[in-house]
Amino acid sequence: MSNMRSLTFDAIIIGGGGAGLRAALELAKSGKKTAVLSKVFPTRSHTVSAQGGITCAIASADPNDDWRWHMYDTVKGGDYIADQDAAEYMCSEGPKAVFELEHMGLPFSRFDNGRIYQRPFGGQSKDFGAGGQAARTCAAADRTGHALLHTLYQNNLKNNTTFLNEWYAVDLVKNANGDVVGCIAMDIETGEVVHVKSKATVLATGGSGRIYASTTNALINTGDGIGMALRAGFPMQDMEMWQFHPTGIYGAGTLVTEGCRGEGGYLVNKDGERFMERYAPNAKDLAGRDVVARSMVMEILEGRGCGENGDHVYLKLDHLGEEVLGKRLPGIVELSKTFAHVDPAKEPIPVVPTCHYMMGGVPTNVHGQAIMRGEDGKDQIVNGLFACGEAACVSVHGANRLGGNSLLDLVVFGRAAGMFIEGALNEGIDYLDASESDVETAMKRITRWNESEGGETVPELKRELQAIMQNSFGVFREEENMQKGVKQLAELRGRIANAYLPDKTNAFNTARVEALELDNLMEVAEATAIAALERKESRGAHSRYDYPDRDDVNWLKHSLYFPADKSVGQRDVNFKPRTVDTFEPKVRTY
Amino acid sequence: MLQVSIYRYNPETDSAPYMQEFQVDTQGRDVMVLDVLHMMKEQDNGLAYRRSCREGVCGSDGMNMNGKNGLACITPLSEVVKGNKLTLRPLPGLPVIRDLVVDMGLFYQQYERIQPYLQNDEPAPAIERLQSPEDRDKLDGLYECILCACCSTSCPSFWWNPDKFVGPAGLLQSYRFLVDSRDTATRERLSELEDPFSVFRCRGIMNCVAVCPKGLNPTRAIGKIREMLLANGS
């Protein structure tokens, strides 16, 4: 142990996607000793797959657009458990963050007047829902995530950010006072395990869609930050809230952007009926994602699904014409041909709701500081620990995220965390060093895998976990089935704790990385399952057959999952924005 | 049963690289090469390759499949398999770390060399910098690069001079900034490329164009840079 190498930074950012790179950029510019530690080369992070755009009231498509309308949509979209101070911060700071990206070189598509192109997306309105559909999503064709991620990486190169690429963070290191003072990480290329010491540790590890069998998420989305935080004993917020994107390609799970519907595409059932007109008479195909996904499942369950097994519906785009498709949705044309074997200019794309986004995560304030529950039952800041992006739950997305709000979340809160950490470092941060036994605690699980001598292997256990989540915690949920799922997960946890890593070599051992990822999937799955069972209502993405209505009396709250005893508590939602009136909960219709 | 022959090398256990034969049961389905790799990894846990998005946008799984570079995740077997045989090798020309994982260091260095970020010496406005749709159109076919290295590692000029020839991927990005109406560092960028190697080692072989999984055309971009260098009076 004592011969383990250590590295020391002012701030270590775990994850090289949009949130991590935006935070890193802020800190690199300030001259703080910062490193981004990423298990993949940064441009391979999942931000690269974001397609449709970044929603923000930059008043380009509509010169009278107002960030308050965007905030209203966000709060309503989240079914009123988004924190209003956080939504206010994101929507009002958004334009600054988007203009910064443009100044950095992001190749946004353009209107004729030279301003940034904006398209309509789901759940968008003008004038607090009274003025009809808005067009607020800034786009670089349908490759906005790619353009954004590469731009941020390029600007980090410009500012000489230190990168630890293809390094895997194993676990957080806490000192005797419970402050987070760094992490244990493995250089994947050599297998060397290193103690990374840091005054600020930022979890920017993204989502964890790989807990489901069918997901739009990259193979790397295994909830590493969530797993680390849970093992360190910190609570998670709103983990039952998982977004199922209406349009994953049937069979493959790859994403087809909501921008398709923003550009005029629509969904049809086997009778060719544009069924969303029945479920959301005003917004139709541009209702909230949770609403559209549920409507699709209803169509399928009622026998109006398409295909031999009637288990999907069609997304119709051919009426848009080849020119619009080529100009605005070129990536979708490519993906459809590759994964659905259809040319959307001629035939509809078979689609089905697919796990897409984790609204829950590490509870934080708008500065990215992680929050836990103090002994007095009140919120308490976790010293040294930060989170931003999908791994965090600020919460701006509440029970359902609006399309295009994810990229905005990344840059606004990545930037905010960076700025806050810079200020805190300037004022001086002084935590107790970790002791040898503190480090040993964080080494436990990698040591366990390295010493495993037999047992079940990772791929089969992972498949089982994904099947449990798919079967018991999908679009519609119900008590008995979830009880069964929770029980199966508890049993699976025991088996994973005794699983076997056959390959113990050191050079680029991806089997070891996948084993460590499996532990994280397990943590995320169990937190999701237990929180879902506990929330006895239907709100946003969490829909229960047995509790079909929203229950504002008992559940206008965040859920808080505590890993130590696997219990679920509640946390108040913020209804006190600083500059606007509170948006009171209303019946949510589109 | 698909016959797969795959390049194996683990520096800790193998004295030299070798080709290993696998039998993979795809149940007659036309799956992607990446799916076949997953099936092989279940047979042999130690098999190493990179992968992330599995939809052709992250650029992790560039490799050589039956002699041609491409992305495993968007290459269906029907596109590459000949006579029921599939041969998988790492991208050529870069040092192998393990199995299909290559050391991309030289490739990234050439990318960094072209200063792949917008440079504009005028103060930024309060909103975005304006750009006409026509000027923005000039970036199409350039900015979409995913840094998979399929092009540069199929280029004989890059094999010979990976330290001095920027290579197709880096030059494509160089032109992306040269042609951006918002970038003001054109002169400086061109002067960095004026030597006999950086650009002029391109012999127009066009392997880069043949393999680019995103359908981009580095050779055309290199031609444009040559024209700019000549016009610049070098």
Side-chain angles (χ1 to χ4, degrees):
Chain A
M1 191 66 51
S2 49
N3 57 10
M4 181 166 35
R5 188 158 68 101
S6 69
L7 293 169
T8 305
F9 299 98
D10 291 328
I12 181 85
I13 291 155
I14 304 174
L21 292 186
R22 187 62 191 84
L25 185 58
E26 204 63 38
L27 286 160
K29 280 188 196 164
S30 72
K32 302 297 175 202
K33 197 178 173 204
T34 312
V36 174
L37 189 154
S38 172
K39 66 177 173 177
V40 293
F41 182 78
T43 64
R44 327 284 184 214
S45 307
H46 188 52
T47 302
V48 83
S49 291
Q51 299 170 352
I54 175 165
T55 302
C56 188
I58 60 161
S60 169
D62 171 6
N64 298 316
D65 201 9
D66 190 323
W67 66 263
R68 293 163 192 88
W69 301 346
H70 179 201
M71 177 185 166
Y72 167 82
D73 293 342
T74 300
V75 170
K76 175 187 172 186
D79 222 348
Y80 298 96
I81 61 164
D83 289 307
Q84 297 199 10
D85 59 341
E88 176 187 38
Y89 183 85
M90 179 177 80
C91 298
S92 61
E93 286 288 299
K96 215 182 293 173
V98 169
F99 294 141
E100 278 172 3
L101 288 171
E102 196 283 332
H103 298 156
M104 287 181 218
L106 200 156
F108 282 111
S109 301
R110 301 286 171 156
F111 284 120
D112 284 341
N113 66 3
R115 292 209 61 191
I116 292 172
Y117 173 72
Q118 291 184 295
R119 60 162 57 111
F121 246 53
Q124 289 179 0
S125 77
K126 299 182 183 187
D127 197 14
F128 308 108
Q133 177 73 42
R136 194 174 288 130
T137 301
C138 311
D142 57 357
R143 303 188 178 100
T144 316
H146 168 278
L148 183 149
L149 186 64
H150 280 253
T151 300
L152 283 175
Y153 178 64
Q154 292 163 351
N155 278 269
N156 271 285
L157 288 179
K158 186 178 178 182
N159 287 281
N160 297 312
T161 304
T162 301
F163 284 98
L164 299 172
N165 290 335
E166 299 186 322
W167 279 54
Y168 186 79
V170 178
D171 264 313
L172 296 172
V173 175
K174 292 198 293 182
N175 67 14
N177 299 327
D179 311 322
V180 174
V181 290
C183 65
I184 296 296
M186 176 176 75
D187 177 351
I188 298 173
E189 184 177 333
T190 62
E192 185 189 8
V193 177
V194 174
H195 177 198
V196 180
K197 300 177 183 176
S198 176
K199 291 172 183 155
T201 302
V202 183
L203 299 175
T205 48
S208 186
R210 286 285 151 185
I211 62 170
Y212 287 93
S214 172
T215 175
T216 64
N217 281 196
L219 293 158
I220 58 171
N221 287 23
T222 53
D224 298 330
I226 308 295
M228 284 190 279
L230 282 169
R231 275 189 302 275
F234 301 119
M236 284 302 136
Q237 181 169 282
D238 295 338
M239 287 302 290
E240 66 278 24
M241 298 300 180
W242 281 87
Q243 178 164 83
F244 290 81
H245 195 290
T247 54
I249 292 180
Y250 173 70
T254 42
L255 174 68
V256 174
T257 174
E258 187 168 291
C260 291
R261 284 169 283 138
E263 297 288 346
Y266 55 86
L267 298 164
V268 295
N269 60 21
K270 75 167 182 189
D271 305 320
E273 182 204 6
R274 187 175 179 181
F275 60 85
M276 278 313 298
E277 290 179 337
R278 275 188 278 119
Y279 297 91
N282 297 312
K284 299 180 183 127
D285 295 82
L286 289 178
R289 284 180 179 170
D290 55 334
V291 175
V292 179
R294 272 194 294 278
S295 307
M296 291 166 72
V297 173
M298 292 306 291
E299 288 300 296
I300 291 166
L301 292 176
E302 287 171 10
R304 292 187 293 278
C306 305
E308 242 171 68
N309 301 318
D311 56 358
H312 56 276
V313 301
Y314 284 134
L315 173 64
K316 193 170 139 42
L317 296 177
D318 57 307
H319 57 289
L320 300 180
E322 277 191 40
E323 202 189 319
V324 170
L325 289 173
K327 187 90 198 151
R328 301 294 183 208
L329 302 165
I332 294 309
V333 174
E334 230 177 272
L335 282 171
S336 305
K337 287 179 180 169
T338 307
F339 289 102
H341 310 293
V342 301
D343 177 356
K346 299 195 179 84
E347 293 167 90
I349 310 171
V351 292
V352 70
T354 306
C355 167
H356 182 58
Y357 188 85
M358 175 178 81
M359 269 77 72
V362 178
T364 70
N365 59 22
V366 294
H367 308 299
Q369 291 180 286
I371 290 167
M372 62 180 188
R373 180 151 288 178
E375 277 168 22
D376 57 359
K378 292 189 180 142
D379 283 359
Q380 187 182 318
I381 299 295
V382 180
N383 285 334
L385 186 65
F386 298 79
C388 53
E390 192 169 341
C393 182
V394 188
S395 154
V396 284
H397 309 306
N400 170 63
R401 174 173 71 75
L402 288 190
N405 266 358
S406 173
L407 292 183
L408 188 65
D409 172 3
L410 302 185
V411 291
V412 167
F413 292 107
R415 176 173 170 271
M419 292 190 304
F420 182 86
I421 292 167
E422 182 193 347
L425 287 167
N426 287 341
E427 280 174 25
I429 295 177
D430 193 17
Y431 300 134
L432 198 65
D433 274 348
S435 68
E436 199 152 309
S437 80
D438 296 331
V439 177
E440 257 168 60
T441 304
M443 284 289 296
K444 260 189 198 157
R445 105 185 154 98
I446 191 167
T447 307
R448 211 283 303 160
W449 281 108
N450 287 341
E451 291 172 355
S452 65
E453 284 177 350
E456 294 178 275
T457 54
V458 171
E460 63 193 62
L461 291 165
K462 184 164 30 179
R463 250 198 307 273
E464 235 176 277
L465 181 143
Q466 291 166 334
I468 296 169
M469 295 309 291
Q470 195 77 26
N471 294 333
S472 295
F473 304 94
V475 174
F476 285 104
R477 299 161 176 187
E478 177 269 324
E479 182 83 11
E480 205 176 312
N481 195 16
M482 285 197 287
Q483 290 278 14
K484 190 176 107 193
V486 168
K487 209 183 274 176
Q488 287 172 324
L489 286 173
E491 184 256 350
L492 191 66
R493 180 184 277 278
R495 288 161 58 200
I496 289 175
N498 290 304
Y500 176 47
L501 172 67
D503 181 6
K504 309 278 201 307
T505 59
N506 288 313
F508 221 100
N509 185 340
T510 53
R512 181 179 286 126
V513 172
E514 287 180 25
L516 293 165
E517 288 173 338
L518 178 64
D519 289 329
N520 294 327
L521 290 170
M522 183 66 230
E523 296 293 345
V524 176
E526 201 165 34
T528 298
I530 292 174
L533 190 58
E534 196 61 31
R535 187 181 282 273
K536 293 184 170 52
E537 64 156 355
S538 289
R539 180 185 301 273
H542 179 64
S543 300
R544 294 185 58 151
Y545 284 124
D546 42 359
Y547 298 92
D549 299 320
R550 194 172 85 188
D551 177 1
D552 283 349
V553 175
N554 296 304
W555 276 105
L556 192 59
K557 301 277 184 189
H558 296 298
S559 73
L560 214 52
Y561 168 79
F562 299 99
D565 58 357
K566 299 186 182 178
S567 65
V568 178
Q570 292 187 332
R571 181 167 172 256
D572 288 341
V573 173
N574 179 291
F575 286 98
K576 290 198 178 105
R578 288 175 305 116
T579 63
V580 295
D581 292 339
T582 301
F583 295 116
E584 298 294 342
K586 287 191 291 195
V587 177
R588 184 164 161 258
T589 54
Y590 284 101
Chain B
M1 283 289 198
L2 179 70
Q3 310 286 322
V4 187
S5 179
I6 184 169
Y7 180 101
R8 299 300 304 267
Y9 176 62
N10 181 340
E12 278 169 77
T13 52
D14 304 325
S15 53
Y18 61 98
M19 297 302 289
Q20 188 185 3
E21 306 301 315
F22 276 88
Q23 305 264 336
V24 181
D25 184 6
T26 59
Q27 296 170 330
R29 290 173 305 148
D30 187 20
V31 296
M32 300 295 175
V33 172
L34 182 63
D35 298 319
V36 172
L37 280 163
H38 291 338
M39 295 175 206
M40 289 159 65
K41 194 168 172 65
E42 291 202 14
Q43 291 180 39
D44 182 348
N45 189 241
L47 178 62
Y49 51 93
R50 293 186 175 102
R51 84 287 181 277
S52 174
C53 76
R54 61 82 174 89
E55 58 187 20
V57 295
C58 80
S60 294
D61 62 355
M63 59 187 67
N64 189 276
M65 300 170 283
N66 276 355
K68 191 175 172 187
N69 289 356
L71 299 178
C73 61
I74 53 168
T75 303
L77 293 178
S78 57
E79 210 172 88
V80 283
V81 171
K82 303 264 151 55
N84 205 36
K85 250 197 99 83
L86 175 64
T87 302
L88 299 176
R89 291 173 177 276
L91 289 174
L94 294 175
V96 172
I97 296 172
R98 174 172 177 172
D99 299 341
L100 300 182
V101 177
V102 291
D103 181 347
M104 307 267 282
L106 275 169
F107 174 78
Y108 293 138
Q109 269 172 38
Q110 292 297 355
Y111 173 67
E112 289 174 28
R113 228 190 89 191
I114 61 101
Q115 304 192 328
Y117 37 81
L118 193 83
Q119 297 179 55
N120 188 313
D121 48 19
E122 283 157 32
I127 59 166
E128 71 269 41
R129 288 196 165 92
L130 300 183
Q131 185 173 47
S132 71
E134 295 71 34
D135 279 340
R136 169 59 184 78
D137 283 352
K138 293 176 187 160
L139 308 182
D140 283 342
L142 305 171
Y143 83 96
E144 300 94 323
C145 173
I146 58 174
L147 299 178
C148 64
C150 285
C151 61
S152 293
T153 61
S154 70
C155 172
S157 296
F158 190 76
W159 294 339
W160 278 108
N161 296 107
D163 52 338
K164 289 187 274 191
F165 173 49
V166 173
L171 290 170
L172 187 82
Q173 286 319 292
S174 180
Y175 185 59
R176 176 249 174 276
F177 289 100
L178 283 166
V179 81
D180 193 322
S181 61
R182 302 169 296 172
D183 191 277
T184 57
T186 308
R187 270 200 102 76
E188 296 80 351
R189 290 182 186 281
L190 288 174
S191 69
E192 288 291 319
L193 297 172
E194 264 174 349
D195 61 280
F197 280 91
S198 299
V199 176
F200 289 100
R201 278 290 122 167
C202 171
R203 302 296 189 216
I205 299 165
M206 294 181 80
N207 278 0
C208 53
V209 183
V211 300
C212 177
K214 306 309 285 182
L216 310 179
N217 190 329
T219 304
R220 188 167 57 210
I222 293 168
K224 299 272 188 192
I225 298 175
R226 282 179 202 252
E227 285 171 23
M228 290 176 91
L229 281 168
L230 296 172
N232 205 31
S234 57

